[in-house]
Amino acid sequence: MKKSIFIKNMIEKYHIPPSSLEKIIIKYLWWNSKNLFLQEDISFIYEIEEDVKKLTHWYPLAYILWQAEFYGLSFFVDENTLIPRIDTEVLVRSVLDYCWEKKTKFFLFDIGTWTWCIPLSLNFYSPEFFKNTIGIDISANALKIAKKNKENLVKNKKISFLLLDFHYLESIIQEIDYKNKNLIFTANLPYIKNWDEALEKNVEVYEPQAALFWGKDTGFEMYEDLIKKLIVIKKEKKIKNIDLFIEIWYNQAECSKSFLEEKKLSYRQIFDTNKILRTLFIKI
Ligand SMILES: C[S@@+](CC[C@H](N)C(=O)[O-])C[C@H]1O[C@@H](n2cnc3c(N)ncnc32)[C@H](O)[C@@H]1O
């Protein structure tokens, strides 16, 4: 069967986007042999149709391809991984803008790092601004994935990953190392209180729920803990400057505002291209 007829049949039978089918086909052609790119008949690769069937059950394309695009880079993902989201690119862009404006060197800490998509993107695009980078997460699965991504993306940088709960952050912030220094913290922590119709079906069924859901009242509670922790660390470890960039859920404008004002912290709200508030830049 001609390749074009096979593609037409798949799209008509399963109603999937042609771009997804194209990516699946390329995966198998690449795996089998590059020569297959030249072959007209690919209908014998039965795995293509198996993968297409998974898509119709909301299985994420990124898990089928074992890769997710984030900030123009390709990240390895598997079924244990929260797939990096385009939403988080706003946070990365804000940090890069800030670094380009300040033109100084920072120590970078990423809290809840998982694939390491935030610190690896920052170090890939602007390594000159980051003296040292540490990503922390409580998930051992995350550690395996993050290491793989580091090997693929930024080999020679001082970047390390620690299995650590941020509630014990002070154990790695030594006064001797960070006194009078500039620190940037980035965090995309679980911030969704309840199941929400803004989430897609595949998130509900397939992605790790612990990476997403938290909080009793607003969902912002884990960030409140982190901010309180950073206030104490800044004072106790005599740190000159702590800049914090966090990603929030679309309905947390009010609760974040009242918490930050109560703490008398200055902050900037950063909106995505749809004019939705998704990122906060906070001066601790
Ligand atoms: C929404 S995911 C973010 C993953 C990744 N940074 C991204 O942007 O795609 C939240 C992450 O926070 C981690 N996490 C949850 N509680 C934590 C804690 N107390 N300390 C450190 N990491 C935590 C989870 O394991 C998960 O990897």
Side-chain angles (χ1 to χ4, degrees), residues 82 84 88 112-114 117-118 137-139 164-167 188-190 211 222:
L82 184 83
T88 310
T113 199
W114 207 292
C117 62
I118 297 172
D137 205 291
I138 48 171
S139 160
L164 184 78
D165 186 322
F166 75 78
H167 292 96
N188 179 13
L189 285 166
M222 205 183 279

Side-chain angles (χ1 to χ4, degrees), residues 58 60 83 85-87 192 195-207 209 212-213 249:
W58 300 98
I83 301 164
R85 300 291 202 280
I86 192 165
D87 316 38
I192 304 175
W195 181 250
D196 191 309
E197 70 266 11
L199 290 162
E200 289 154 3
K201 179 90 176 156
N202 57 356
V203 181
E204 177 186 6
V205 184
Y206 296 107
E207 293 199 62
Q209 308 289 295
L212 292 164
F213 295 99
W249 197 220

Side-chain angles (χ1 to χ4, degrees), residues 8 14 16 30 46 49 51 71 90 100 112 140 160 186 192 209 212 218 239 241 250-251 258 272:
K8 186 170 176 283
Y14 295 106
I16 54 156
W30 194 256
Y46 76 94
E49 188 160 359
D51 280 353
Y71 220 85
V90 180
W100 290 328
S160 43
T186 52
I192 304 175
Q209 308 289 295
L212 292 164
T218 60
I239 294 166
N241 213 3
Y250 68 92
N251 59 9
S258 50
D272 67 12

Side-chain angles (χ1 to χ4, degrees), residues 68-72 75 82-97 110-122 125 185-192 207 211-212 223 245-249 270-274 276-280:
E69 297 297 321
F70 180 79
Y71 220 85
F75 284 82
L82 184 83
I83 301 164
R85 300 291 202 280
I86 192 165
D87 316 38
T88 310
E89 293 186 350
V90 180
L91 185 153
V92 171
R93 177 67 212 216
S94 314
V95 179
L96 288 173
D97 283 347
D110 184 46
I111 312 296
T113 199
W114 207 292
T115 49
W116 240 346
C117 62
I118 297 172
L120 289 182
S121 305
L122 292 170
Y125 288 104
F185 279 79
T186 52
N188 179 13
L189 285 166
Y191 53 61
I192 304 175
E207 293 199 62
L212 292 164
Y223 284 131
F245 293 80
I246 59 173
E247 178 180 311
I248 59 171
W249 197 220
I270 301 164
F271 295 80
D272 67 12
T273 46
N274 295 317
I276 299 172
L277 174 61
R278 295 302 307 277
T279 303
L280 292 174

Side-chain angles (χ1 to χ4, degrees), residues 116-230:
W116 240 346
C117 62
I118 297 172
L120 289 182
S121 305
L122 292 170
N123 274 281
F124 183 88
Y125 288 104
S126 278
E128 67 276 22
F129 294 121
F130 305 108
K131 260 190 196 156
N132 205 336
T133 299
I134 296 179
I136 72 161
D137 205 291
I138 48 171
S139 160
N141 282 330
L143 181 60
K144 289 184 226 147
I145 305 287
K147 275 189 172 159
K148 220 172 186 144
N149 282 320
K150 186 191 166 204
E151 280 158 26
N152 291 342
L153 289 168
V154 279
K155 288 192 177 67
N156 305 321
K157 279 284 297 182
K158 279 189 105 182
I159 306 181
S160 43
F161 184 106
L162 297 173
L163 210 50
L164 184 78
D165 186 322
F166 75 78
H167 292 96
Y168 304 98
L169 199 54
E170 62 275 25
S171 62
I172 57 162
I173 310 273
Q174 303 301 333
E175 186 179 323
I176 194 152
D177 296 331
Y178 299 110
K179 190 176 168 187
N180 290 325
K181 300 281 187 340
N182 295 308
L183 273 55
I184 288 183
F185 279 79
T186 52
N188 179 13
L189 285 166
Y191 53 61
I192 304 175
K193 188 180 58 158
N194 290 318
W195 181 250
D196 191 309
E197 70 266 11
L199 290 162
E200 289 154 3
K201 179 90 176 156
N202 57 356
V203 181
E204 177 186 6
V205 184
Y206 296 107
E207 293 199 62
Q209 308 289 295
L212 292 164
F213 295 99
W214 186 265
K216 286 199 183 101
D217 187 21
T218 60
F220 191 72
E221 290 94 333
M222 205 183 279
Y223 284 131
E224 293 180 7
D225 284 356
L226 175 64
I227 291 164
K228 285 185 212 157
K229 173 68 62 187
L230 292 179

